Amino acid sequence: MDSGINMLCFSASYGIALALELSGLWARTRIGRVALLFSAIAGLVAHTWYLGRRVAEMPAAPLASQQDWYVLAAWALAIIYLTLKLYYPRSSMGLFLLPAVLALVGISRFATKTPLATFQAPRVWGQVHGVLLMLGTVTVLLGFLAGLMYLIQSYRLKHKLPTRGRLQLPSLEWLERVNSRSLGVATLLVGGGFFTGVLSRLAQQGEQSFVPWTDPVVLSLAAMFVWLVVAEGFRLVYPAARQGQKVAYLTIAAFLFLALVLAVMTWGDSLHLNADSESTEPPQASISTTILGLSNNGDLA
Amino acid sequence: MNLQMVGCTHREMGIDIRQQLTFDRSQTVEALGQWQSRFPDAELVLLSTCNRVEIYAVGVPKAEELIEALLDYQKVTASQVEGRMVTLADSKAVKYLYRVASSLESMVVGEPQILAQVKEAYQTAQEVGSTGPLLHDLFQSALRTAKRVAGETSLHKHRVSIPSVAISDLASCVFETFDGKHVLVIGAGKMADETLRYLRDAGDAVIHVVNRDAQRGQQLAKKWNGQYHEWDQLWEQLEAADLTISTTAANETIVTAADFEQKVAPGRYQRPLFILDLAVPRDFDSQVGNALGVYLYSLDDLTLACEKNRQTRAAELPAAETIIKRETERFVVEMNHRATAPVITGLREGLERPKDAELERLFCKLPNLDDQSRKEIEQFADRLVNKMLHPPLESLRDASQNGTPHGLLDALRNLFKLEN
């Protein structure tokens, strides 16, 4: 079922949409807006088709590998972009969201393509774990981008710079709301992802029933979760952190933790990845099992 | 075309005379009715706004008669308006109406209300029955041109009044909606009133007024369905406010940076506060703008923003002028061409009649012709008539580009013995 659609197809469409967003900084035309929308929709359709084909090839996809996981995260972010573009057609949010979409697709090129293991009871936990962490990642990214936009918009207003030019950003109130909510939602999702990972490990039988706390991916993810909890606690205790620039700073810090987790996961010397590489068979772990050091059949690698 | 425009605008006449010449809707209906009796064959539209009073007419021989009719109705003497009434005819009147509808002739270039006013003037004339085919086409094309200017240039997109820039361009960058926002008005100046008008259009904000003069403060609060507070509640109100508009006539700063830091900031927890300091001299120390979450705009900042917008609008003017020039040319050519229609019809009929007669004679002589042959002969005759008409019609069309070709029309009428 080779439809000829690959990552290059939707990356190119998103790339054209980004180029059109950039061109909007100089001149905004109706044709340009239609072309931008068309490119973004074409990219999303190709992206969806690609993921659909992966599901057809491998029932456990699109969480079958690190690569699929990144592509799925990019897809979720692309949907958010398109939705926002339809609601706020004059906004320049694409200048922030589309590079993030392309970055996720770009990183996926460096990620492993290990196929999904056969379905077992603990694998359900693994799937939930993977989905929650993917959504957590998208939420943290969204909060980070909203934070960046908040700081730019705030800077422009403070310094009396033109706000109704070609670079049109949402209001501070809207950005603060997205910022604030993304931080809260990300805490729940990352926490849920982390604990389902722990549970899936503990659900294993015998010697495998332990959590490899010293694994760099587990450590960095735990640090990120702790940071999110601390940030939420800080916001509860200190009213000034519930609004304005402080929320933006908190979401930017959360992104730094996320970047660390993703870097360790993709390029790090994880206990699980080492074991995979020593295996005589191709690597078989999904991203969910990779993060908490589970092999594809639930065994500790 | 015989189109005339007479009138006066804010450019030629002071407000005292303009006020005397202005028509409300009932007066417009009445005046158009009177003028219809005075000029029975004329088409008339009266456009009256606070900045202009203009009559557009077709079929009135002299502009002076229209001016007389206008002055008679409003009981204004000719000496009061001497040398200040504008009269334009034909293509100049067309172009002028396009410029008016596109707000290029407005006091604030690019203001959007004029388009609705032009539309209303035309609709009123339609209801009275004083319009005709030419004014119908003229006003339809004027509305179309104005929409083109609005859509294809950004002339209307940049606001140039201080309250509109303050609310629509700046405050909307801070607040997603004004519904339920705590708006504090310090002072009861005219600028506060104007800003509140824009604010009320933008959303359902909760207005709070603090003023030293309780009576004026209460009046303003009542007008905008807000709440008045005594002057000593200024700090509590500032602490609760989302948006502050300050327009007092105080001679010195009311809110210093130290006051803000000690009395307001601790209770706000860096919650965004948008301050419009529209007072001269300023009510807020400029250092207040350095506080976290505070966005302070003074009258100077807003004036600068308005000036930038004016410059941006000015840059759009050539594009708007080009659209108006092209649309005017198109309309004038169309009208000129329309004036040739009776001659064209006469020419065609003049050839069609002998053609039909000759065909009938031929078919009587050749009764055995089959249907196919008769059809071929008819088509031959049609083609011949069309080919004979083509050169004079083309000459008429070319001549119409530069005005109604009266000489050519007369020549054709004489040559082909056409009736007038």
Side-chain angles (χ1 to χ4, degrees), chain B residues 169-336:
Chain B
D169 284 6
L170 296 170
S172 62
C173 287
V174 178
F175 306 110
E176 187 64 12
T177 171
F178 291 99
D179 291 352
K181 291 290 182 297
H182 187 123
V183 175
L184 172 63
V185 181
I186 306 172
K190 192 182 167 195
M191 194 67 100
D193 190 49
E194 283 181 27
T195 311
L196 285 175
R197 187 174 300 124
Y198 275 94
L199 192 63
R200 189 44 59 87
D201 289 343
D204 192 15
V206 184
I207 314 287
H208 297 263
V209 180
V210 171
N211 194 36
R212 284 200 173 99
D213 182 343
Q215 194 185 350
R216 287 191 65 202
Q218 280 165 349
Q219 274 176 356
L220 186 71
K222 191 180 173 190
K223 182 178 177 184
W224 296 104
N225 203 19
Q227 200 179 340
Y228 171 74
H229 303 272
E230 296 293 333
W231 185 256
D232 56 10
Q233 288 182 38
L234 174 66
W235 306 116
E236 289 93 324
Q237 284 301 313
L238 264 175
E239 194 179 301
D242 295 305
L243 167 63
T244 296
I245 303 162
S246 194
T247 62
T248 75
N251 291 323
E252 55 190 27
T253 305
I254 291 173
V255 181
T256 64
D259 283 337
F260 191 86
E261 197 182 333
Q262 289 161 19
K263 298 175 182 172
V264 182
R268 292 194 61 85
Y269 298 106
Q270 297 164 23
R271 189 160 55 88
L273 172 63
F274 188 70
I275 303 171
L276 293 170
D277 187 352
L278 307 179
V280 179
R282 299 170 68 137
D283 286 339
F284 282 75
D285 183 350
S286 60
Q287 298 297 312
V288 172
N290 294 337
L292 273 174
V294 175
Y295 304 94
L296 170 62
Y297 278 75
S298 70
L299 197 60
D300 287 346
D301 299 326
L302 293 167
T303 307
L304 201 66
C306 289
E307 190 48 42
K308 279 182 186 168
N309 284 357
R310 272 197 197 94
Q311 286 168 7
T312 313
R313 276 191 178 187
E316 293 291 322
L317 280 175
E321 295 282 12
T322 305
I323 293 170
I324 286 170
K325 186 169 175 274
R326 283 183 190 158
E327 288 290 337
T328 305
E329 285 168 0
R330 199 167 80 171
F331 182 80
V332 170
V333 168
E334 203 174 300
M335 287 302 112
N336 291 336

Side-chain angles (χ1 to χ4, degrees), chain A residues 25 65 69 80 89 100 130 132-133 140 143 150 152 158 217 245 286:
Chain A
L25 293 176
S65 66
W69 188 85
I80 292 170
L132 289 175
L133 286 179
V140 171
Y150 186 99
I152 291 170
K158 273 272 186 198
V217 176
Q245 294 186 7
S286 73

Side-chain angles (χ1 to χ4, degrees), chain A residues 160-180:
Chain A
K160 321 282 182 349
L161 299 174
T163 50
R164 289 288 173 202
R166 305 286 185 200
L167 179 68
Q168 292 201 7
L169 296 175
S171 66
L172 290 181
E173 188 180 13
W174 188 90
L175 290 167
E176 183 189 292
R177 199 162 56 224
V178 172
N179 240 322
S180 182

Side-chain angles (χ1 to χ4, degrees), chain B residues 138-165:
Chain B
L138 176 66
F139 274 81
Q140 289 298 330
S141 65
L143 298 175
R144 195 174 54 240
T145 303
K147 280 177 189 164
R148 268 197 72 190
V149 169
E152 295 173 29
T153 71
S154 48
L155 198 67
H156 300 70
K157 288 171 191 157
H158 303 280
R159 292 168 183 86
V160 290
S161 76
I162 284 173
S164 65
V165 167

